[in-house]
Amino acid sequence: MLGAATLGMALPEELLHALPKEGEWIPYEEHWSSGVCLQCPSGCGLRIRSVNRWPVKLEGIKDYPVNKGRLCPKGQAGLQVLYDPDRIRHPLRRKGDRGKEEWEKISWDEAIDLVTQRLKKLRQEEKSHQLLVLGGRYRGHMYNLMSRFMEAYGSPNHLGNSARGSEGILKGHLFTMGIREFLSIHWEGVNYLLSFGSSLLEASRSTMVNLRGYGLLRRGRPGMRGKLVQVEPRFSLTASKADQWIPIQPGTDGALALGIAHWIIKEKRYDQDFISRYTFGFEDWKDSSGNSHLGFKTLALKEYSPEQVSSITGIPEEKIIQLAKEFSTHRPSVAVSGRGVGMQTNGVYSQMAIDSLNALVGSIDRQGGLLLQRKAPFQTWLPPVKDSIAEKGLSRSRIDGAGKLPFPFAQEVPYILPEKITRGEPYPIDTLFLYYTNPLFSIPESEKFKTTLEKIPFIVSFSPFMDETTTFADLVLPDGTYFERWQDDYPEPGPGLSMFGLRSPVLEKPLYDVRETGNVLIEITKGLGGSVAKSFPWKDMTEVLRESIRVVFKSKRGSIRTKDFDEFWKTLIEGGGWWDGAYPYGEWRKKFDTPSGRFEFYSQIMEHGLRQLSKDSSKNPEAILKELKIEAKGDKAFLPHFEKPRLIGEEKDYPFQLIHYKWMATAEGRGANQPYLQETAAPHLQERWNSWIEIHPDTAQTMGIKDGDSVWVESKVGKVKTKARLFPGTHPKCIHIPYGQGHRAYGQWAKGRGINPNDLLVSDYDYLGGFLSHFSTRVKVYKAT
Amino acid sequence: MMDNEAIARKYEKVIAPMTRTGWAFWATAIPLAAIFLWSVLAFGWQYRFGLGETGMGHPVSWALYLVNFVFFIGISHAGALVSAVLRITRAGWGTPFGRAAEAVTVFALAAGPTNILFDLGRSSRFYWVALHAQFKSPLLWDFTCIMTYFTVSVVFLYVLMVPDIGLLRDRFPGRRWLYRPLSLGWTGTEKQWSALGKAIGFLCIAVIPIAVSVHTVVSWVFGLQTQPMWFSTIFAPYFVVGAIYSGIAAIILVTIALRKVYQLEDYLKPYHYNNMGLLLLVFTLLWAYFTFAEHLTVGYAGGEAEHAVLWSKLTGKYALLFWIMVVLCFVIPFPILVFRRTLPGLLIASICIIIGMWIERYTIIIPSFIEPRLSYVRGDYMPSWVEWSMTFGLAAGFALAFVIFSKLFPVISIWEVEKEERESNPR
Amino acid sequence: MMYRWGMVIDLDRCTGCQACVVACRQENNVPFAGEDEVKLGRAKFWMNFISEVKGSYPDVEMRFFPIPCMQCEHPPCTKVCPVEATYKNPEGIVAQVYPRCIGVRMCISNCPYTVRYFNWHAPTWPDDYKRGRNPDVYKRRKGVTEKCNFCIQRIRKAKWNAKREKRKLRDGEVIPACAQTCPSEAISFGDLNDPKSRVSRLSKSRRAFRLLEDLGTDPKVYYLKEGEWHDG
């Protein structure tokens, strides 16, 4: 009968893959295994159903705290990542010119040897700093591994941010709360959710927690139905499910938050207890030298009355007051934001303003509020062994100038690389590693980046897929997919409580001749020998993970309690993850990682940082603020306030502001090679396999554009041709373009399809935060003949 | 009574096509055969690759094949119906049309259901409709009625040809192998005439309800479905009227063509066509009446789903086709049939009506699919080369069948015209 | 008493993510159609997703529904099939018999919900995808009609297991692929004949409605209306 036969291994190859014909039953062998999805940063636990060794269906792990047995459509389409016919099947070496995609097969030993020899030579010539690593979607200890490698090897040039699309939010949190992480919404308890452009139901952090949470918000608590208010220029899916949609002028969310704060403060509706116990800089204060400083209260009351804010945001005064009233009354209430707020030239200050709202109602680190994802109690590794070459290399300044003017608080600035590398300043780059990143697709002005690549003599890609950037590589050492490796995973963020998941290979060996990058890295260190090899005392990733996780077993806490570690490890593999019982409410807010130990309305981290910068650069603070293109002066610069967002392009030439967004199927940006996701319809327009722009129907009419017409969209740096769709939810002065298409490689279903809005984006930055503003581009639209 | 020889000589013109085959025959038959053959290849292509080679999809799951099906079955009506009704009412003017009408019926009935064969997902299993019949389905009623009608029409045509076949058997000794068995030993005895008379009388009466039932059940394939603007009580009489309308036009067109090609002016006189034209006028008015009633009812009291379809026909996507249809089916024929029932006039009128009625079938079927009841689902449709090939192929096949028929049998019923003449001028 | 399978979709929970759409296709071996076929409307979505946008800026509204086969109690599709290739089985599921279907497609045109799909071409998968197919679900050939059948293969498996253990099915034991994956738990599935089951309860909710109810099809898929937030 079904599933009972053990003949799986003995069946001939054709029958293994055949489907039964009408009325036929083929005996098969079925088994279930666990893993963790990697289609987005949520990191949902996977139950993988395999038939005759081959995975056929993905479900969620029932108790996994992130997804509780469920999967989003990206997760369900995951097998199309494993079975992608265009996957790279073995190591490749470039034969012809770069970009021509002429490859020859080489063995793993040869490939690893090539890399090792190159790196060795660099070290011998004391040029170890000329190794540049661009990393993207790191999970679990992989980031630590790569960082460790860079440290032991001797290069400061590790650009490994896995949150490039939302850096503004992180920086806002940094200045107010001292964290570089996203916060999680406690859906089980929240009553009122004020969302500033957060794509909660389509592309947020974490999507799965928010999808599940939405169900809880509405119907999960008997008698309670929370309110969701979406503030956004565009009528997104989240806006359509919200109880109220507030259209707003793009880039002015910070002003709205301050207007709401003004009312709450004026009416004294704030959480007095939280403000007095856990915040700093609310009232005016005097510092140790006796200078008096502006407090948030004074600033908000003086400059951001609903009337003043109304003219900035375009939202009527009564609505702002209504929002303020509801937000402060129906607690627990939470304010959240998305990339639309963060990724502007005023992103940091806008995020600080929104953080302030949460502080005002005291919803940080409490039931129904915002939670900080707890880390699992992993083993901290011993510091890497650094020899003199490493120390020398590490002492060089970073190639991207992160941490220095004009990006004083940035940890990485990938967008500046074209400029620096092309000029060879302050030094050239010899070798580039590409891990889980595709800059030629995801970074604007990709042509510039292409010329950068030309200046780098040796490029190695670890990508399992032939994406745009990999076509420019000299050597490809293909990684396995997330079904074919040993990797731990912790959500960034998840539901809050301490947890991690474990990926283990589903198949006996990977589908093709690929190796997981962690193991390849360890091999390289062995080849390099010396202090580098000493820093990596492990045989492979399994050993790395076992060592890091052993201490979790020893802690005798959480969902797995066993007698010995081997049993713990076995249970971990079968169950897919480990999680601790409950979230420790209130622990974090007792001590924020800020100079005052409190939530800082007045950001001392920023103030100290700029003061230090002023000392180091011998420029006075006012000049620095000017260089960072900040208009505020004095204390105001350290408080949440509204800066006008900068746009590039004159309005008369480029009448529309370009807003690009992500929806469910394209949220991660890697889904274009999965036909199930390509065929999923954009909910509001029922578009599939396509790109389009959204234009306001009346505007389109005045321009003579009909629904479905072919149009050109042009900005100062590029132009693209695509389909125009009339959508009533479009802001009259904006053009909205979905992200995800426009690949020039990456498989048969992705290549040559649609447009990439990155091709239109101009480069302007939030210099304080040190990231590219995604929404500073003005465009014009005209019909294509 | 004249003997066969004499009759043969008298009706030399009618028999002439069977004696010689000129270049005109080949010039017509070969292109027609080529088009027909092309459609066979197109069908083979579609059989191999699936119905995806047509333009159909979701939600337009029935399209040109069903349009052709209804169209051809529609044409088939007038044949036996006109023939039978005119005989029963002893309207002698219809006699010369009889043979052609019955032939139109048979060939149209052969062409119509072939479309269903084209339209099936698994054409080779078409006979399962009989084997695993479910009588709750209107398609089974279709199948039954059409089979019956086809059988009865073939018998009708054949029986009415027997005396002529007897004539031909004597006249063409070289073709005895064909005509002899078919003539059933007809010699023109009293007994035989009386038997023939009885048979004809029975068949005439039998054919009428069967014919009416056929297009009624064809209409019910649509009229009993839930699609907006299909679910309508008026479909049955509307379709029957439309069928007879297009059928009469087809007969006029066919006979005018035959008259021209085979020089049958003596037998098909303007007086005959005048009466045919009057009959056609009646049906023009009936058709217009039903169309108006249908659309007014929907427009006045229809629901949201029905209105979506209605307005797509009147002012929307299908407005052009709809109003062309109205022009072709009413605006042009009506004044012609009232004022100018001449041969050229009737020719124009029939061509317009035939094309118009094909468009009418199209606008009945497709717009409802494009705007189904669930208002969120919308579609589009454009026929592909396969469907056009089948349409023209069948039309070519139909014409080809006629051309070949005219080479084997007289297109005017000799014995009836003779009988008619004798009865009106007794000597 | 026999089971009577029904489904309830809570639109207040539904987030329009379409996980159900993808999960259903993966479970039931429904291949993707590709761009060209999609343009002709031939993509098969046993669980479909329909949406409608109304209004003008800034008063815009969007409604959407996941829509599987309604499994009507009085199905308009079964009575029009000339070869009886579709029928309502004793547990209320409108089953499609692929070997019997000859592709007449009257069932497709008579379904007012337009949730039946036809194989216009032979279903194809890239070779590499063929390993990832579910052996519990028949392969359909070109020229036959198919549609959602409430994951009848899962029902069959569950019943077989229950029979082995000599008991009846428990509420929540049978879960179709769509219900299992829905992130916001919007889809519930179970036995409508069991008064204590979740679907039984929810189908009697004041928020419950069914699509095109006035047609008399008596569907067994219920929707729960979205709720509203009140300021007291």
Side-chain angles (χ1 to χ4, degrees):
Chain A
M1 261 317 252
L2 296 172
T6 51
L7 302 174
M9 298 310 194
L11 283 177
E13 194 65 29
E14 317 85 59
L15 268 188
L16 276 180
H17 304 156
L19 278 183
K21 283 205 286 291
E22 305 129 3
E24 200 180 59
W25 289 109
I26 307 178
Y28 61 84
E29 188 193 280
E30 173 187 273
H31 83 271
W32 290 84
S33 56
S34 295
V36 183
C37 181
L38 223 176
Q39 291 275 62
C40 88
S42 291
C44 302
L46 282 181
R47 280 299 277 171
I48 303 160
R49 178 182 182 224
S50 296
V51 162
N52 294 338
R53 303 179 271 132
W54 302 111
V56 298
K57 184 73 168 60
L58 304 171
E59 307 289 355
I61 297 175
K62 214 141 193 242
D63 297 317
Y64 204 85
V66 174
N67 56 326
K68 291 273 170 87
R70 294 158 188 274
L71 286 180
C72 81
K74 306 189 298 291
Q76 284 288 346
L79 288 179
Q80 297 192 333
V81 174
L82 175 66
Y83 292 130
D84 188 350
D86 299 317
R87 263 181 77 180
I88 300 174
R89 301 184 183 213
H90 44 69
L92 299 170
R93 175 164 55 183
R94 177 170 61 87
K95 243 190 347 197
D97 290 332
R98 269 195 190 162
K100 289 284 192 292
E101 293 191 58
E102 283 157 14
W103 307 96
E104 65 180 0
K105 175 178 172 171
I106 59 171
S107 71
W108 272 103
D109 289 333
E110 214 184 317
I112 293 179
D113 194 53
L114 277 170
V115 179
T116 315
Q117 292 313 317
R118 185 97 186 187
L119 292 179
K120 227 181 202 167
K121 187 157 144 292
L122 274 182
R123 275 199 121 226
Q124 279 162 0
E125 295 171 5
E126 298 201 346
K127 288 190 190 152
S128 59
H129 56 281
Q130 290 188 7
L131 169 66
L132 169 65
V133 171
L134 278 179
R137 182 59 69 225
Y138 285 109
R139 298 299 286 181
H141 280 87
M142 197 56 205
Y143 179 79
N144 306 58
L145 202 76
M146 188 65 85
S147 293
R148 189 181 184 82
F149 175 78
M150 293 299 270
E151 262 190 278
Y153 181 79
S155 170
N157 296 315
H158 184 194
L159 277 73
N161 186 355
S162 62
R164 291 206 179 98
S166 321
E167 184 64 25
I169 302 175
L170 295 179
K171 284 297 183 332
H173 291 336
L174 172 70
F175 291 128
T176 54
M177 296 180 276
I179 52 168
R180 285 179 193 272
E181 292 173 52
F182 298 98
L183 294 175
S184 195
I185 304 168
H186 185 230
W187 290 93
E188 282 87 345
V190 71
N191 212 352
Y192 189 92
L193 194 51
L194 180 57
S195 161
F196 290 88
S198 173
S199 182
L200 283 171
L201 302 179
E202 296 188 277
S204 57
R205 292 248 189 178
S206 105
T207 307
M208 181 46 91
V209 170
N210 292 339
L211 285 173
R212 269 191 48 234
Y214 179 82
L216 283 170
L217 180 80
R218 297 305 201 193
R219 292 285 155 192
R221 308 164 298 178
M224 251 176 99
R225 187 174 185 278
K227 180 168 187 177
L228 169 64
V229 175
Q230 178 82 350
V231 177
E232 190 175 354
R234 175 182 169 266
F235 186 72
S236 62
L237 181 88
T238 314
S240 78
K241 293 298 294 188
D243 295 286
Q244 204 178 354
W245 169 49
I246 314 263
I248 187 174
Q249 191 60 26
T252 61
D253 305 75
L256 176 62
L258 290 163
I260 293 173
H262 169 108
W263 190 90
I264 294 177
I265 295 173
K266 187 159 121 203
E267 304 293 320
K268 297 215 173 18
R269 298 274 202 121
Y270 50 88
D271 186 336
Q272 311 254 14
D273 185 56
F274 186 88
I275 294 287
S276 59
R277 285 215 287 168
Y278 299 112
T279 70
F280 167 83
F282 184 67
E283 306 277 356
D284 298 343
W285 55 285
K286 278 201 167 70
D287 65 20
S288 49
S289 333
N291 304 322
S292 62
H293 291 277
L294 193 63
F296 180 63
K297 181 164 133 189
T298 316
L299 178 64
L301 286 175
K302 195 166 82 162
E303 295 191 23
Y304 296 106
S305 72
E307 198 186 318
Q308 290 160 297
V309 163
S310 171
S311 55
I312 300 174
T313 58
I315 300 172
E317 214 181 308
E318 322 83 62
K319 257 213 190 122
I320 300 176
I321 296 176
Q322 175 222 337
L323 285 177
K325 210 186 270 183
E326 287 176 2
F327 186 73
S328 53
T329 315
H330 300 288
R331 304 206 207 145
S333 51
V334 159
V336 291
S337 64
R339 53 195 279 281
V341 167
M343 303 309 281
Q344 303 250 11
T345 56
N346 61 0
V348 173
Y349 288 121
S350 300
Q351 183 60 48
M352 285 169 70
I354 292 167
D355 284 348
S356 306
L357 282 180
N358 289 315
L360 282 178
V361 291
S363 61
I364 300 180
D365 204 29
R366 55 155 294 170
Q367 301 257 11
L370 290 170
L371 311 179
L372 181 68
Q373 179 66 33
R374 298 306 173 165
K375 298 284 180 302
F378 290 122
Q379 177 79 52
T380 332
W381 296 338
L382 293 168
V385 181
K386 290 186 269 206
D387 62 8
S388 62
I389 301 175
E391 295 286 3
K392 195 143 178 241
L394 288 170
S395 69
R396 304 294 299 261
S397 56
R398 284 173 63 105
I399 183 83
D400 61 354
K404 300 222 276 272
L405 280 171
F407 304 110
F409 291 100
Q411 285 178 305
E412 60 151 43
V413 193
Y415 320 100
I416 216 78
L417 285 178
E419 208 184 295
K420 294 285 170 99
I421 295 177
T422 316
R423 289 211 291 248
E425 286 178 7
Y427 48 80
I429 292 291
D430 182 84
T431 303
L432 170 65
F433 278 6
L434 294 162
Y435 178 74
Y436 253 108
T437 186
N438 186 6
L440 283 184
F441 177 73
S442 50
I443 289 185
E445 301 196 67
S446 59
E447 286 303 313
K448 265 205 218 153
F449 204 86
K450 230 187 253 179
T451 49
T452 313
L453 293 178
E454 282 163 22
K455 287 284 196 287
I456 303 176
F458 190 58
I459 301 178
V460 179
S461 171
F462 293 104
S463 171
F465 301 101
M466 189 56 73
D467 55 65
E468 287 90 333
T469 322
T470 306
T471 61
F472 275 85
D474 302 303
L475 201 60
V476 182
L477 276 61
D479 195 358
T481 60
Y482 60 93
F483 297 97
E484 297 162 309
R485 63 169 92 117
W486 287 97
Q487 190 178 37
D488 63 328
D489 188 296
Y490 37 85
E492 291 165 345
L497 45 80
S498 167
M499 61 170 288
F500 70 92
L502 186 71
R503 294 190 179 93
S504 51
V506 175
L507 305 161
E508 258 170 35
K509 55 184 177 80
L511 209 52
Y512 304 116
D513 186 16
V514 298
R515 286 197 196 171
E516 51 174 300
T517 308
N519 286 348
V520 173
L521 213 56
I522 293 174
E523 286 275 329
I524 293 177
T525 61
K526 296 214 180 358
L528 287 172
S531 57
V532 184
K534 283 215 194 79
S535 305
F536 285 80
W538 310 289
K539 192 174 69 180
D540 55 22
M541 280 308 286
T542 318
E543 221 179 284
V544 173
L545 293 172
R546 278 178 73 104
E547 189 185 297
S548 311
I549 293 171
R550 192 182 292 267
V551 69
V552 178
F553 156 70
K554 288 215 186 96
S555 73
K556 299 249 181 275
R557 279 167 51 202
S559 55
I560 307 178
R561 312 276 177 93
T562 56
K563 288 223 174 53
D564 61 57
F565 179 62
D566 282 322
E567 210 185 314
F568 181 91
W569 184 249
K570 191 158 152 284
T571 316
L572 183 64
I573 295 174
E574 280 167 14
W578 172 95
W579 44 90
D580 206 347
Y583 182 82
Y585 295 100
E587 281 297 308
W588 166 44
R589 69 195 199 168
K590 281 198 199 136
K591 189 153 199 313
F592 288 94
D593 198 7
T594 56
S596 63
R598 296 178 172 208
F599 178 96
E600 298 193 334
F601 287 102
Y602 182 98
S603 176
Q604 293 191 91
I605 293 179
M606 197 195 302
E607 199 266 324
H608 292 341
L610 287 181
R611 211 185 319 142
Q612 185 67 40
L613 200 59
S614 165
K615 241 192 256 168
D616 293 342
S617 64
S618 334
K619 294 187 183 146
N620 69 52
E622 295 303 315
I624 292 181
L625 285 178
K626 200 142 176 256
E627 200 175 328
L628 297 177
K629 299 213 180 143
I630 294 173
E631 295 194 359
K633 295 191 181 12
D635 280 332
K636 192 168 161 191
F638 307 115
L639 288 163
H641 64 278
F642 177 70
E643 299 257 335
K644 206 149 168 283
R646 295 192 298 274
L647 293 171
I648 300 208
E650 290 301 313
E651 190 169 345
K652 58 176 167 58
D653 298 323
Y654 300 98
F656 300 104
Q657 192 175 344
L658 174 64
I659 305 231
H660 55 116
Y661 66 96
K662 297 181 178 187
W663 59 283
M664 173 57 75
T666 66
E668 176 71 349
R670 283 188 278 129
N673 66 339
Q674 290 145 53
Y676 272 167
L677 293 182
Q678 288 273 22
E679 207 150 290
T680 305
H684 53 305
L685 292 172
Q686 296 281 344
E687 285 281 346
R688 302 170 211 262
W689 291 98
N690 216 345
S691 260
W692 64 91
I693 65 161
E694 291 163 18
I695 186 168
H696 192 266
D698 294 341
T699 318
Q701 201 177 37
T702 56
M703 295 168 66
I705 296 175
K706 287 199 296 297
D707 195 27
D709 276 351
S710 195
V711 293
W712 282 101
V713 184
E714 193 178 321
S715 76
K716 269 200 146 165
V717 297
K719 73 177 190 189
V720 293
K721 180 157 102 165
T722 185
K723 185 173 167 185
R725 292 299 311 266
L726 307 188
F727 177 51
T730 317
H731 189 280
K733 296 250 185 63
C734 298
I735 295 288
H736 303 295
I737 305 187
Y739 194 67
Q741 304 277 22
H743 281 279
R744 295 188 178 91
Y746 197 41
Q748 56 190 287
W749 295 298
K751 191 169 174 173
R753 180 178 301 283
I755 57 155
N756 183 0
N758 282 333
D759 291 339
L760 295 167
L761 292 189
V762 300
S763 301
D764 198 358
Y765 302 90
D766 178 324
Y767 291 93
L768 180 65
F771 52 87
L772 186 81
S773 161
H774 283 192
F775 300 105
S776 297
T777 311
R778 280 197 164 276
V779 292
K780 64 178 172 196
V781 177
Y782 48 94
K783 232 171 136 159
T785 39
Chain B
M1 187 165 66
M2 282 192 191
D3 73 342
N4 284 350
E5 268 298 312
I7 293 181
R9 254 181 286 119
K10 182 179 178 193
Y11 292 96
E12 191 54 44
K13 276 241 178 95
V14 180
I15 301 182
M18 288 172 267
T19 52
R20 47 188 172 73
T21 307
W23 65 270
F25 170 75
W26 298 112
T28 330
I30 290 184
L32 287 177
I35 298 175
F36 182 67
L37 204 64
W38 171 256
S39 76
V40 171
L41 292 173
F43 176 57
W45 179 270
Q46 184 196 275
Y47 186 78
R48 165 73 182 84
F49 293 109
L51 278 162
E53 297 303 308
T54 67
M56 295 187 269
H58 183 88
V60 186
S61 49
W62 274 351
L64 236 60
Y65 293 145
L66 266 286
V67 172
N68 292 339
F69 169 68
V70 179
F71 177 70
F72 278 107
I73 304 268
I75 289 181
S76 77
H77 270 59
L81 206 55
V82 160
S83 193
V85 168
L86 290 182
R87 273 176 230 284
I88 292 175
T89 55
R90 301 204 182 284
W93 61 267
T95 313
F97 292 105
R99 179 68 48 76
E102 288 137 32
V104 164
T105 303
V106 169
F107 295 136
L109 275 177
T114 325
N115 282 290
I116 299 296
L117 189 73
F118 296 161
D119 193 53
L120 286 180
R122 297 211 278 173
S123 303
S124 54
R125 295 204 172 38
F126 66 93
Y127 59 93
W128 279 10
V129 176
L131 206 59
H132 300 293
Q134 197 208 183
F135 276 97
K136 276 196 263 178
S137 168
L139 286 171
L140 241 310
W141 312 341
D142 257 24
F143 177 71
T144 318
C145 289
I146 292 176
M147 289 309 287
T148 315
Y149 188 38
F150 185 68
T151 319
V152 170
S153 298
V154 168
V155 170
F156 195 44
L157 173 68
Y158 174 59
V159 162
L160 283 167
M161 276 205 299
V162 166
D164 279 351
I165 296 177
L167 175 71
L168 294 171
R169 177 200 56 208
D170 296 333
R171 172 73 176 71
F172 296 100
R175 297 190 198 171
R176 273 186 112 82
W177 58 270
L178 175 64
Y179 296 130
R180 183 124 180 246
L182 284 179
S183 66
L184 296 181
W186 177 264
T187 43
T189 61
E190 279 291 326
K191 221 162 115 195
Q192 283 176 339
W193 276 116
S194 138
L196 182 71
K198 281 209 198 84
I200 292 174
F202 170 73
L203 282 169
C204 278
I205 298 184
V207 126
I208 295 173
I210 293 173
V212 170
S213 77
V214 167
H215 227 242
T216 306
V217 296
V218 166
S219 82
W220 281 343
V221 165
F222 303 98
L224 297 182
Q225 285 202 43
T226 62
Q227 296 271 15
M229 275 202 84
W230 278 12
F231 181 59
S232 164
T233 52
I234 214 178
F235 258 38
Y238 185 26
F239 269 52
V240 175
V241 161
I244 302 175
Y245 188 37
S246 58
I248 296 175
I251 294 173
I252 294 177
L253 183 61
V254 164
T255 50
I256 290 182
L258 290 171
R259 180 180 183 270
K260 188 80 206 294
V261 169
Y262 292 139
Q263 284 118 24
L264 300 169
E265 289 84 354
D266 295 332
Y267 307 98
L268 294 164
K269 301 208 180 63
Y271 143 79
H272 293 116
Y273 282 101
N274 182 52
N275 287 345
M276 247 337 188
L278 280 170
L279 191 58
L280 195 59
L281 174 63
V282 169
F283 277 94
T284 309
L285 291 167
L286 273 175
W287 179 86
Y289 167 68
F290 274 108
T291 307
F292 179 72
E294 167 81 12
H295 288 85
L296 175 72
T297 314
V298 173
Y300 196 93
E304 190 189 319
E306 283 83 10
H307 272 199
V309 180
L310 179 71
W311 291 111
S312 88
K313 284 168 77 169
L314 295 182
T315 57
K317 226 191 251 189
Y318 288 96
L320 186 66
L321 276 179
F322 180 79
W323 293 111
I324 288 179
M325 168 195 87
V326 170
V327 163
L328 290 177
C329 286
F330 186 73
V331 173
I332 296 180
F334 182 63
I336 294 178
L337 293 172
V338 169
F339 300 114
R340 273 232 163 285
R341 288 184 295 277
T342 59
L343 252 72
L346 280 179
L347 182 66
I348 294 173
S350 336
I351 293 177
C352 286
I353 289 168
I354 287 187
I355 299 175
M357 284 311 285
W358 189 91
I359 298 178
E360 191 238 27
R361 310 298 189 216
Y362 191 93
T363 57
I364 284 180
I365 296 180
I366 309 287
S368 294
F369 272 121
I370 302 272
E371 318 244 356
R373 203 163 271 283
L374 208 59
S375 63
Y376 312 92
V377 179
R378 287 292 171 264
D380 218 344
Y381 172 67
M382 189 53 71
S384 76
W385 67 274
V386 175
E387 290 156 294
W388 286 124
S389 307
M390 301 306 204
T391 311
F392 288 117
L394 273 180
F398 179 77
L400 186 66
F402 241 106
V403 168
I404 295 176
F405 179 80
S406 68
K407 282 287 162 211
L408 295 173
F409 303 101
V411 295
I412 298 202
S413 183
I414 295 175
W415 68 270
E416 286 191 278
V417 172
E418 177 62 23
K419 189 157 155 244
E420 192 60 43
E421 199 185 274
R422 263 189 289 119
E423 274 168 13
S424 54
N425 308 324
R427 246 187 284 203
Chain C
M1 202 167 42
M2 288 236 80
Y3 304 108
R4 200 164 68 100
W5 301 110
M7 185 183 277
V8 177
I9 302 179
D10 190 342
L11 295 174
D12 208 16
R13 283 185 180 252
C14 176
T15 59
C17 72
Q18 299 179 64
C20 50
V21 176
V22 180
C24 167
R25 293 180 115 197
Q26 179 73 35
E27 167 81 12
N28 291 296
N29 301 330
V30 182
F32 65 91
E35 186 182 9
D36 298 325
E37 291 286 285
V38 160
K39 285 213 182 89
L40 288 164
R42 292 180 188 162
K44 293 191 278 292
F45 296 103
W46 286 20
M47 171 66 93
N48 207 336
F49 179 81
I50 53 179
S51 60
E52 187 184 53
V53 178
K54 284 211 282 255
S56 62
Y57 199 94
D59 299 307
V60 191
E61 217 180 75
M62 173 156 80
R63 295 180 74 196
F64 47 77
F65 295 83
I67 176 167
C69 169
M70 298 282 119
Q71 313 288 354
C72 308
E73 276 296 319
H74 303 124
C77 57
T78 53
K79 57 187 174 193
V80 293
C81 176
V83 294
E84 212 174 349
T86 176
Y87 70 104
K88 193 177 72 156
N89 81 3
E91 293 177 357
I93 294 179
V94 179
Q96 188 75 26
V97 186
Y98 306 123
R100 177 64 73 82
C101 179
I102 58 173
V104 175
R105 309 192 304 289
M106 192 162 177
C107 60
I108 297 181
S109 75
N110 209 22
C111 173
Y113 306 99
T114 55
V115 286
R116 281 174 157 274
Y117 305 92
F118 186 69
N119 282 288
W120 298 98
H121 286 291
T124 49
W125 289 264
D127 276 332
D128 294 272
Y129 282 14
K130 286 187 182 157
R131 291 176 274 221
R133 296 181 302 189
N134 186 354
D136 296 331
V137 177
Y138 285 153
K139 176 174 153 152
R140 282 86 60 191
R141 39 159 304 151
K142 76 169 188 295
V144 301
T145 306
E146 59 181 55
K147 68 173 187 69
C148 157
N149 53 23
F150 274 179
C151 281
I152 203 170
Q153 67 277 7
R154 293 185 176 206
I155 298 177
R156 220 180 272 135
K157 254 196 187 159
K159 278 169 73 180
W160 188 76
N161 282 331
K163 189 163 162 202
R164 225 171 19 149
E165 294 168 21
K166 298 194 172 42
R167 59 168 176 86
K168 264 206 125 192
L169 288 172
R170 292 183 283 261
D171 184 30
E173 190 175 340
V174 178
I175 320 175
C178 52
Q180 184 168 10
T181 200
C182 177
S184 52
E185 297 183 38
I187 305 182
S188 315
F189 180 83
D191 181 14
L192 287 170
N193 275 347
D194 173 7
K196 288 197 254 125
S197 75
R198 193 176 155 81
V199 287
S200 241
R201 268 190 304 114
L202 289 176
S203 65
K204 299 196 186 82
S205 152
R206 275 174 207 269
R207 289 191 297 135
F209 72 95
R210 294 175 292 180
L211 290 177
L212 301 178
E213 238 167 318
D214 45 312
L215 286 182
T217 50
D218 200 2
K220 291 201 281 298
V221 173
Y222 291 81
Y223 290 92
L224 299 179
K225 265 200 315 219
E226 280 184 275
E228 253 183 71
W229 190 86
H230 292 286
D231 199 359

